[in-house]
Amino acid sequence: MSPTTWPFVGRDDVLREVRGRLDEGRHVVLTGAAGLGKTRLAHEITESYAASGTPVVRVVASPATAPLPLAPLASLVGGAVGGDAVAAAQRTIAALGRQFPAHSPAHSPAQSPAHSARWSAQSNDRPNGSPGGATTTPLLSVDDLHLLDEASAIVVHQLITGGSVRLLATVRSSADCPPAVDRLRQAPGVDHVTLGTLADADIAAMVERALGSPLSGHARGVIVGAAAGNPMYARELVEGSLAAGAMQRHGGVYGFEAEMVATPLLEEVVLARLAPFDGAERSTLELLAVGGRLEQALVERVVGFEPLERLERVGIVVADTGEGRPGGLVLDLGHPLYRELTRARLGALARMRIYRTLAEADADSSESTRSLDEQLRSAVWSVRGGLSIDPAILSASAHRAVAIGNTPLAAELAHEASSRTGTTADALLASWCLSLNGDHARAITVLRTARETETDPWMRAALRLRIAEEHWWFGDLDAGLAVLDEATGEPGPWDALVHAQRSAHAAMAGNLPVAVQLGETLVEDPHPWVRFVAAVGYCLGLIFSDDAEKGLAASRALSHSLIGVDVQPVGDPGQHHAIQILGMLATGDLDQAREAAEAAYAAAQLSPSQQARAWAAMLVGLVTEVTGDVTACVRALAEAERLWSTVRVWGFAVWCGAALARAQAESGDLDEAAVTLQRVEGFPRPPQMLCGHLLDLARAWVAFGTGDRAGATAHVAASVQHARATHAPANEAEAWHEAARLGVLDLLDPAAGPSGWSRPRSALAAARFDLVDARRTGEPAAWERAAAGFASLGAHGYAAEAASGAAAAYRKVGASRDAARMDAVAGTHLARTAGLVTPLVARRTGTGPLTAREAEIARLAAGRLSNRQIAEHLVVSERTVENHLYRIFIKLAVTGRDDLATALAGVADDND
């Protein structure tokens, strides 16, 4: 659903400048390109004047009224013509001024809160804080001044010359103005204010405020890049993409499911700018639309020099030396949308013709040496143009595409190379790239085809490993292990590679002891492929088995040993970057983990590889949840879950989706959490997986939010059992920690409880242990130790919860000074979180008094009515009742409806 209103952003400084000039009695003409918001800015200014009681006359010129003398001023001049028109307009304006006495609030139309806030900020800068200064001269607003007819322009000129009005007008910078309008613009007292493009951050903020939800990092980059600072372009792209279904909301975050789609209005505006060009000029547009930034010399060889100069003169083409060869120019289209809309209108054969033209022109170049990127570009043009190319160059170009992060292009080139050469190396690269783009079935077909002809045992082992890995991406671990079992018929030193993959499979399946045992003897194997694959299982096994320091060190050592080594045939080099960030989390190095995750996220946002973006978003989400930035966590995990499910890597999709549902519940958004949980529960997944306990924890948070404390307890117990079954102490610590955070620790079976649980060695798990111990004993000092432990890691949300628990424990024993001290500590940590709404922090924050409806529902629930009975009584849905109850529990710092009566009595006592 498209936004109904679009906010005014990024122009407050210009607004203040223009108002200052108008208040000084000057006239202002706003100039700028189409779509930059001249009309919206003029509207905001006139609204603020009207709100203060200043008479405002609005005139809109248009192509339809341009042939009709005085038509735009009909409301001012009536039927007067010639010299009488000026006098008629002056009389109308004078009468209007008498209807609005100076600064009369009685005549100020209603103003929106936004106008009021902006107005207050501006009025403080004027004498006596009075809007509009000391003058009551009416304001004449003319939109599209350049479209006024000669007679209307003369009347407006006479009005401003005679001091009857102050003028605020807009003019499109590229428009040709009639002589009378030019004379008006050059009149004394007329100032020109040029409106520039909006900053990228303002474009993104405008879109997010209009949508009412955040954008994914990728969507933000795409919109900002395509709009190039033009707010109208951003608006029309978003509305067009929403209408076409190319842009959708997922997990509370908007992202692109397909290419952007422009509205018909935007297409009309942009294409009208390009319509006059044909012949060589049209060929230039098409070459740059398909080929991107191109050297001027290359384009000139195809179209000649004169068309380029003409297009540059009118701003359709821009030339610079930024990335060209020394002394040469590089050409590009003047706006990203020129490229997108030109490309969209080219058919398959037209594109092939253009690629072929580019390849042939490039081949005619006299350059003897070319950079790797130029070789890649030439290979792409040849392949897409249907021309022959040396397979070695094709394979090298595929590797270059991988190196720059363009895995879809790498998959295209590598698959082409594999089909031409039939070599296993090309097949491995092609399958790997296809896998990164989610095409696992095709990747397996490529691998099996290559295995039929491959005789080298090492390469056969690599092919077998990759086939097994593809089955794991599907979530079918058994099929993957069956492929590895086939290796028993081909024993040899390459068996180490198969055992290394068994270690990785064991880790992903949650069999951590086996992962560590198999990987330990192979992480220092002489063969780099073996070391790489073995370290995946070994390091993950150590990190989640409470030996995170050792696991992190091993992963770093592996990365160092592989500098300059190509491991792409058997794995993604980015895997160990991800493992190291997980290790930093477990060891409590949260600042470094967040820095590394955010750097990877920023680098991945415009990457065409969905899997690269999925990894980056996943890591940011996992880190920010622990640091307490739940807002950033929800945004990142929603993006990661969508991307992993798009490429059908179901294990990670479940991992991210479960963590997302929990984070949404932590932020108080139970509706979204329930929707996310339902969606994730439908994903394919093996019966046991490394972080499968998160799904039970997500269920616990959703159940708790609906008031089902017993259900939440059962789900936490299931999470504990899952963690124990996988021999993952770090995950078990997390499960007990969630029980403590939800306040259901006392309801868990004592036989399964943490009383005999040893304090973990890894820093984050140890801090979780301390919080569980504090909740179990209720001792204020234990709560305070837990708060200090989380604080030392930078886990500010957990520290705030523990400090709030300490304050409550101190109050319970009458230590009011210590309670106040820990309240202050909790406040300090909460200030460094975002979006955190959980039962423990509610002890300090509350979230304000109960609303009338919340109080009513609380009384009914305390009276033992079920959610359904309350819904029927109030004629609302059960979901509405559940949401209200969750907020009530947070505000009253209770963990279930059984405590409501006592809590409501306490509120009544406080009110008395």
Side-chain angles (χ1 to χ4, degrees):
M1 182 177 178
S2 296
T4 55
T5 58
W6 284 82
F8 179 76
V9 299
R11 300 294 192 197
D12 285 343
D13 289 345
V14 181
L15 187 149
R16 283 191 290 270
E17 177 190 351
V18 173
R19 285 215 47 145
R21 293 174 187 248
L22 292 171
D23 289 346
E24 292 169 359
R26 301 190 65 79
H27 311 287
V28 177
V29 176
L30 300 172
T31 64
L36 290 181
K38 302 180 297 296
T39 298
R40 178 63 182 271
L41 175 59
H43 171 78
E44 295 291 327
I45 293 170
T46 56
E47 283 292 297
S48 67
Y49 273 107
S52 70
T54 298
V56 174
V57 178
R58 296 178 176 87
V59 171
V60 178
S62 70
T65 62
L68 305 175
L70 299 175
L73 305 183
S75 62
L76 292 178
V77 303
V81 295
D84 293 339
V86 176
Q90 289 173 331
R91 287 193 299 272
T92 301
I93 288 173
L96 182 65
R98 288 192 294 272
Q99 296 175 20
F100 290 86
H103 314 314
S104 170
H107 297 284
S108 300
Q111 54 185 315
S112 69
H115 277 125
S116 178
R118 191 177 302 119
W119 180 247
S120 298
Q122 294 157 357
S123 63
N124 290 336
D125 298 330
R126 301 194 175 88
N128 303 319
S130 59
T135 179
T136 58
T137 306
L139 178 67
L140 174 62
S141 172
V142 182
D143 194 27
D144 286 340
L145 181 69
H146 53 282
L147 294 177
L148 279 184
D149 60 278
E150 289 275 339
S152 295
I154 291 170
V155 171
V156 173
H157 195 166
Q158 291 297 318
L159 290 176
I160 67 173
T161 301
S164 300
V165 296
R166 286 167 294 170
L167 174 67
L168 173 64
T170 66
V171 172
R172 184 176 299 176
S173 55
S174 61
D176 294 326
C177 296
V181 173
D182 276 335
R183 290 193 295 273
L184 186 160
R185 295 175 63 186
Q186 296 166 16
V190 176
D191 295 340
H192 292 263
V193 174
T194 301
L195 208 58
T197 56
L198 277 181
D200 290 350
D202 290 327
I203 291 287
M206 178 188 76
V207 173
E208 290 186 333
R209 285 172 56 185
L211 294 173
S213 294
L215 293 167
S216 71
H218 177 254
R220 179 189 176 105
V222 168
I223 292 169
V224 164
N230 191 304
M232 184 196 80
Y233 287 4
R235 183 188 71 223
E236 298 301 317
L237 286 170
V238 168
E239 292 188 349
S241 298
L242 288 170
M247 189 179 190
Q248 296 182 14
R249 189 173 183 270
H250 181 97
V253 175
Y254 277 93
F256 284 103
E257 305 293 332
E259 295 292 326
M260 281 188 305
V261 177
T263 61
L265 170 63
L266 181 57
E267 290 189 0
E268 180 181 351
V269 169
V270 175
L271 294 177
R273 183 91 168 93
L274 305 179
F277 307 108
D278 56 16
E281 292 169 345
R282 172 59 59 178
S283 295
T284 302
L285 292 177
E286 293 177 350
L287 287 172
L288 292 172
V290 171
R293 289 172 58 85
L294 298 173
E295 295 87 355
Q296 173 263 326
L298 187 151
V299 181
E300 184 182 347
R301 283 198 293 274
V302 179
V303 301
F305 185 82
E306 289 76 11
L308 305 183
E309 185 180 7
R310 288 195 297 270
L311 290 170
E312 183 189 33
R313 189 178 300 121
V314 294
I316 297 298
V317 166
V318 294
D320 62 63
T321 58
E323 298 176 12
R325 294 182 179 275
L329 292 174
V330 176
L331 305 182
D332 200 357
L333 292 175
H335 195 281
L337 287 181
Y338 298 166
R339 173 178 296 108
E340 297 303 323
L341 294 181
T342 299
R343 282 177 58 90
R345 277 152 184 75
L346 294 172
L349 292 177
R351 292 192 189 200
M352 176 178 280
R353 169 182 54 80
I354 294 167
Y355 281 124
R356 184 172 296 180
T357 298
L358 288 167
E360 291 171 344
D362 190 49
D364 291 338
S365 170
S366 60
E367 297 289 344
S368 58
T369 60
R370 298 188 178 191
S371 69
L372 293 175
D373 288 336
E374 287 172 335
Q375 292 177 23
L376 169 61
R377 184 184 69 174
S378 178
V380 171
W381 291 345
S382 296
V383 169
R384 294 178 179 175
L387 301 176
S388 61
I389 183 174
D390 185 341
I393 294 177
L394 197 55
S395 181
S397 297
H399 280 86
R400 180 58 185 168
V402 170
I404 64 174
N406 194 337
T407 52
L409 179 58
E412 176 187 353
L413 297 177
H415 193 259
E416 182 71 18
S418 176
S419 64
R420 295 189 185 192
T421 66
T423 66
T424 296
D426 286 333
L428 283 168
L429 181 60
S431 73
W432 183 66
C433 294
L434 290 167
S435 175
L436 291 180
N437 297 316
D439 197 348
H440 306 292
R442 193 171 169 208
I444 290 176
T445 299
V446 169
L447 292 165
R448 289 192 181 280
T449 300
R451 196 176 64 167
E452 291 174 0
T453 57
E454 180 57 63
T455 58
D456 180 84
W458 272 104
M459 296 305 290
R460 287 182 62 80
L463 288 166
R464 188 177 289 112
L465 179 151
R466 284 286 298 113
I467 294 171
E469 185 179 23
E470 289 304 315
H471 282 295
W472 182 84
W473 289 131
F474 276 125
D476 191 348
L477 289 175
D478 290 339
L481 289 174
V483 172
L484 296 180
D485 288 341
E486 296 172 7
T488 55
E490 299 179 21
W494 43 86
D495 285 351
L497 189 57
V498 175
H499 290 306
Q501 183 69 317
R502 289 185 186 278
S503 171
H505 273 241
M508 297 303 180
N511 195 342
L512 300 187
V514 171
V516 172
Q517 178 186 1
L518 288 174
E520 187 170 19
T521 59
L522 299 173
V523 290
E524 296 183 1
D525 191 273
H527 201 292
W529 293 3
V530 175
R531 294 200 306 275
F532 179 90
V533 177
V536 172
Y538 178 67
C539 296
L540 283 175
L542 290 174
I543 288 169
F544 287 94
S545 296
D546 195 30
D547 205 347
E549 292 281 359
K550 187 175 180 180
L552 178 57
S555 181
R556 286 172 170 164
L558 180 280
S559 296
H560 182 74
S561 77
L562 294 178
I563 293 176
V565 177
D566 183 10
V567 295
Q568 288 170 1
V570 293
D572 180 355
Q575 287 182 25
H576 278 280
H577 179 71
I579 290 171
Q580 285 160 30
I581 291 177
L582 293 175
M584 294 174 204
L585 267 180
T587 58
D589 194 352
L590 300 189
D591 288 342
Q592 187 177 356
R594 183 162 189 173
E595 181 180 348
E598 289 180 344
Y601 184 79
Q605 286 322 295
L606 293 181
S607 168
S609 169
Q610 294 189 93
Q611 189 153 315
R613 300 201 306 273
W615 273 115
M618 173 182 178
L619 294 170
V620 168
L622 296 177
V623 173
T624 50
E625 183 177 30
V626 177
T627 62
D629 190 348
V630 180
T631 300
C633 169
V634 167
R635 182 193 301 240
L637 288 177
E639 183 177 1
E641 184 233 315
R642 181 183 64 81
L643 288 166
W644 284 125
S645 59
T646 298
V647 298
R648 298 186 295 167
V649 179
W650 299 115
F652 287 150
V654 172
W655 187 346
C656 292
L660 171 62
R662 175 175 60 180
Q664 289 166 332
E666 289 175 321
S667 69
D669 193 350
L670 283 180
D671 282 344
E672 201 69 61
V675 170
T676 298
L677 180 59
Q678 183 178 23
R679 179 176 63 248
V680 173
E681 286 179 323
F683 290 165
R685 61 184 186 276
Q688 182 169 294
M689 50 190 290
L690 176 59
C691 286
H693 72 294
L694 287 175
L695 197 54
D696 285 311
L697 293 181
R699 292 169 178 145
W701 275 90
V702 172
F704 181 84
T706 61
D708 184 3
R709 197 164 175 240
T713 304
H715 290 308
V716 170
S719 180
V720 170
Q721 292 306 312
H722 189 287
R724 288 181 175 176
T726 59
H727 304 278
N731 291 346
E732 183 176 353
E734 183 177 17
W736 286 116
H737 182 204
E738 297 302 282
R741 296 178 72 205
L742 291 172
V744 299
L745 200 59
D746 58 309
L747 298 183
L748 288 166
D749 183 357
S755 55
W757 180 30
S758 299
R759 191 173 190 270
R761 291 173 292 179
S762 298
L764 179 59
R768 295 185 190 278
F769 175 94
D770 292 342
L771 190 282
V772 173
D773 184 60
R775 172 69 94 170
R776 191 165 52 87
T777 64
E779 295 177 1
W783 280 104
E784 191 167 347
R785 280 194 301 274
F790 283 125
S792 69
L793 307 180
H796 299 292
Y798 297 156
E801 290 178 332
S804 297
Y810 277 124
R811 274 191 293 271
K812 190 173 182 179
V813 297
S816 58
R817 182 173 298 178
D818 284 329
R821 176 174 57 83
M822 292 310 297
D823 264 334
V825 171
T828 298
H829 288 293
L830 275 177
R832 301 183 67 177
T833 67
L836 188 66
V837 184
T838 57
L840 280 170
V841 295
R843 293 183 172 195
R844 179 186 183 276
T845 62
T847 47
L850 297 181
T851 65
R853 175 49 64 95
E854 287 171 347
E856 183 178 16
I857 289 175
R859 286 193 296 272
L860 293 172
R864 301 297 180 181
L865 269 67
S866 67
N867 289 356
R868 175 175 294 182
Q869 291 170 322
I870 295 172
E872 292 172 351
H873 179 76
L874 299 178
V875 196
V876 297
S877 69
E878 283 190 67
R879 174 66 67 187
T880 298
V881 174
E882 291 171 356
N883 288 334
H884 277 300
L885 280 172
Y886 181 75
R887 287 189 288 270
I888 290 164
F889 295 159
I890 294 295
K891 289 182 177 183
L892 298 182
V894 299
T895 57
R897 59 207 304 145
D898 292 343
D899 303 321
L900 277 176
T902 302
L904 289 172
V907 171
D909 292 341
D910 291 341
N911 293 337
D912 292 340

